Amino acid sequence: MPVLVVQIPPRARLSARAEGADSIAAEPSARVEYSYALTDDGLTVAAQGRASAKALPNADAVVAVLSVADVSWHRVSVPKAPPTKLRAALGGLLEEALLDDPEALHFALAPDHKPAQPAWVAVVHKAWLEGVLAAFDKAGITVDRVVPSLWPGDAPRAHFFDAAAEDGSTPEPTLVMVDVNSIICVPLAGSLARALLPAFAAQPARWTATPAVAAPAERWLGAAVHVQTEVEQVVAAARSLWNLRQFDLASRHRGSRALLELWKSWMSPGWRPARLGLAGLVVLQLVGLNLWAWAQRNAIDDKKRAQVALLQSVHPQERVVVDAPLQMQRATEALRAAAGRRSDNDLESMLSAAAAAWPDGQGAAPSLRFEPGQLTLPATGWSDEQVRQFRDRLRRDGWAVDLTQGRLMITRATIAASAKGAG
């Protein structure tokens, strides 16, 4: 997925501040332009340039890279403190080693830190970093990670760069030396860099330099150096595991951010075949469901037409058909009644069924209530066993018995089931 790597200009120092520089240090102006690089794999640069925050290209993730001089480093034993109190514990632990009030600084622990074990702590001017992040937020850009350009604990490396290149002042070649135990940033002008050189040169270090200072760096070192552009440097820094967005500067709304990242990943070109396949499957399902529904409707219509044809062939007097099954039942009942034959819904049939199933030891019913297809008997004095026996005997013959408010209601099982379904 495309990653936008942005180089953050160095924070204005006291010696370089002009009138109004305080506000710029607190929050970069909208006119500030940033060097950026777009990379798809974290190794190669797909595009690069300079633009204001609002004009930066879109990407799936944004990484901000701080200059070497804007991050100081301290080696401490990580306090055993809960996450909510870890930042305050770090401030108390580093208070004597800092040149500023701990409350004015932002701390970030190494990605592999463990409680009660030594780890590196990155320290940044808090108000300035908050201003940088706020400037991107105003431009509608969420910075996912903030990383240092170089960090201690890495393989030995020495890098020459122009510390004054961002503000356009007189070039100031600077050397930063990194190994597993330290990170030292010193200007080439003066004797300190020369004094530190022998001890560092004894290590198998990699020497690099930006194009602007490559020639003076080689003259100073007396050896060749590998030229590395600023863009190559920030893209390499973006691959680190560091993220200075910790504690109160940690990214908010992690759940929604995770969903957004998932959506961005799903909409990326790599997932296009899967999206097309899923869309085709959905369309196929919709077409299949519609065809199946159409076939079912036709089958139902055929059955309704068959019912109407059967009704009119058996009972020609039924010319207007509204409900074929009901009209068939009524017409058949009328013919049965005219022929003098009884049905299951008659009182005689229902009394006969109740008498055959009458429980042992139970006397005659004191009263009854009859409606076509329904016989109601009082169950006063009946035991639970007698009710169960009566119900089981009738059920074997296709009758249903409901006990409601001390009354037994007898109906045909098919009629009872139809009544419950309609309810």
Side-chain angles (χ1 to χ4, degrees), residues 351-363:
L351 284 176
S352 177
W358 203 254
D360 301 334
Q362 181 62 39

Side-chain angles (χ1 to χ4, degrees), residues 57-351:
N58 295 326
D60 292 337
V62 178
V63 180
V65 181
L66 304 185
S67 65
V68 174
D70 287 328
V71 186
S72 64
W73 300 92
H74 303 270
R75 186 76 167 172
V76 300
S77 178
V78 180
K80 290 184 177 180
T84 55
K85 298 182 179 180
L86 184 55
R87 193 265 174 221
L90 288 174
L93 193 63
L94 292 171
E95 185 173 8
E96 295 184 359
L98 301 173
L99 300 178
D100 207 340
D101 184 358
E103 295 303 318
L105 301 173
H106 172 68
F107 304 111
L109 279 163
D112 58 350
H113 74 275
K114 296 179 181 179
Q117 294 188 13
W120 287 102
V121 179
V123 181
V124 185
H125 191 276
K126 185 176 181 180
W128 171 76
L129 183 55
E130 287 177 337
V132 170
L133 296 176
F136 282 97
D137 287 339
K138 286 183 179 179
I141 297 175
T142 300
V143 177
D144 299 277
R145 290 197 302 138
V146 177
V147 301
S149 296
L150 296 168
W151 54 94
D154 203 0
R157 179 187 173 187
H159 181 65
F160 297 90
F161 66 100
D162 182 4
E166 292 291 342
D167 58 16
S169 59
T170 304
E172 186 180 337
T174 303
L175 171 64
V176 56
M177 295 177 288
V178 177
D179 59 20
V180 295
N181 297 314
S182 64
I183 177 169
I184 303 172
C185 185
V186 292
L188 291 188
S191 59
L192 181 56
R194 184 65 66 182
L196 295 173
L197 180 60
F200 188 81
Q203 304 181 73
R206 181 169 180 259
W207 295 81
T208 61
T210 59
V213 298
E218 290 180 345
R219 288 194 300 269
W220 182 88
L221 183 63
V225 297
H226 177 73
V227 177
Q228 184 180 50
T229 65
E230 289 85 351
V231 170
E232 293 172 338
Q233 170 66 28
V234 297
V235 170
R239 295 196 297 268
S240 77
L241 299 179
W242 275 91
N243 185 8
L244 305 188
R245 296 206 67 169
Q246 299 181 26
F247 304 115
D248 51 345
L249 294 187
S251 299
R252 305 300 181 191
H253 310 296
R254 293 182 180 177
S256 59
R257 288 288 300 163
L259 290 176
L260 180 60
E261 291 302 322
L262 184 62
W263 172 253
K264 288 181 178 179
S265 177
W266 170 249
M267 295 305 295
S268 63
W271 283 91
R272 188 172 183 271
R275 294 197 304 271
L276 293 176
L278 181 60
L281 182 62
V282 170
V283 171
L284 183 62
Q285 290 288 334
L286 290 175
V287 172
L289 285 174
N290 279 281
L291 290 175
W292 179 82
W294 175 78
Q296 291 297 311
R297 284 195 300 269
N298 286 343
I300 292 173
D301 291 341
D302 290 342
K303 289 182 179 180
K304 287 182 178 180
R305 286 191 290 269
Q307 289 177 343
V308 171
L310 177 62
L311 173 62
Q312 292 179 338
S313 64
V314 176
H315 302 287
Q317 72 276 11
E318 299 288 340
R319 299 184 179 277
V320 179
V321 180
V322 178
D323 187 337
L326 180 60
Q327 289 177 250
M328 174 72 80
Q329 181 181 3
R330 287 176 178 175
T332 303
E333 288 292 324
L335 290 176
R336 182 200 57 77
R341 300 180 62 182
R342 70 180 185 180
S343 71
D344 290 340
N345 294 332
D346 290 341
L347 175 61
E348 183 180 354
S349 299
M350 302 190 78
L351 284 176

